Amino acid sequence: MALNNIKSDRTSQSADGLDKVKPGQRPFSRINFWMMGGCLALIVLGFLLMSGGGSPDESFNPEVFSTRRIVVGPLLSFLGFLLMAFAILWTPGKKKNG
């Protein structure tokens, strides 16, 4: 009996027998998901900037060495991956009532 009371204090069971998780027990908040979505968009944008058409024939194409493909694209992708780790680890602070 005592074990049953302890379990009911932490979670509540629904009709199908699954435990409902309270908002304070969830690993990610809505802000985390928005941050991860923004980071994913930054990564995709970086990869799109790195892509481009090649040369149609065997001739040399100097566009391969453009600043957009060598500097800007990889930098945006790297920042996206770096910020993604931050977005996963970040926990929102609790509001102080005062």
Side-chain angles (χ1 to χ4, degrees), residues 1 3 18-19 21 23 28 31 33 46 48 58 63 71 73 76 85 88 93-94 97:
M1 280 298 239
L3 183 63
L18 298 176
D19 293 338
V21 178
F28 296 125
I31 297 170
F33 286 114
L48 288 175
E58 298 295 321
E63 186 65 25
V71 178
L76 284 179
I88 290 171
K94 295 181 180 172
N97 294 336

Side-chain angles (χ1 to χ4, degrees), residues 8-39:
S8 67
D9 288 342
R10 289 186 298 162
T11 59
S12 61
Q13 273 194 340
S14 64
D16 57 359
L18 298 176
D19 293 338
K20 291 196 180 245
V21 178
K22 295 179 183 176
Q25 297 173 331
R26 294 183 182 142
F28 296 125
S29 67
R30 182 175 290 188
I31 297 170
N32 290 95
F33 286 114
W34 279 105
M35 289 169 59
M36 286 188 277
C39 292

Side-chain angles (χ1 to χ4, degrees), residues 1-95:
M1 280 298 239
L3 183 63
N4 207 6
N5 290 339
I6 292 172
K7 186 175 181 182
S8 67
D9 288 342
R10 289 186 298 162
T11 59
S12 61
Q13 273 194 340
S14 64
D16 57 359
L18 298 176
D19 293 338
K20 291 196 180 245
V21 178
K22 295 179 183 176
Q25 297 173 331
R26 294 183 182 142
F28 296 125
S29 67
R30 182 175 290 188
I31 297 170
N32 290 95
F33 286 114
W34 279 105
M35 289 169 59
M36 286 188 277
C39 292
L40 182 65
L42 198 63
I43 293 168
V44 169
L45 178 66
F47 274 94
L48 288 175
L49 288 175
M50 283 188 277
S51 69
S55 59
D57 52 359
E58 298 295 321
S59 64
F60 176 72
N61 186 1
E63 186 65 25
V64 173
F65 299 110
S66 69
T67 305
R68 174 182 58 97
R69 288 185 182 178
I70 292 181
V71 178
V72 179
L75 183 66
L76 284 179
S77 293
F78 179 71
L79 285 175
F81 282 116
L82 203 65
L83 292 174
M84 182 68 81
F86 175 75
I88 290 171
L89 295 175
W90 186 74
T91 54
K94 295 181 180 172
K95 295 180 182 178

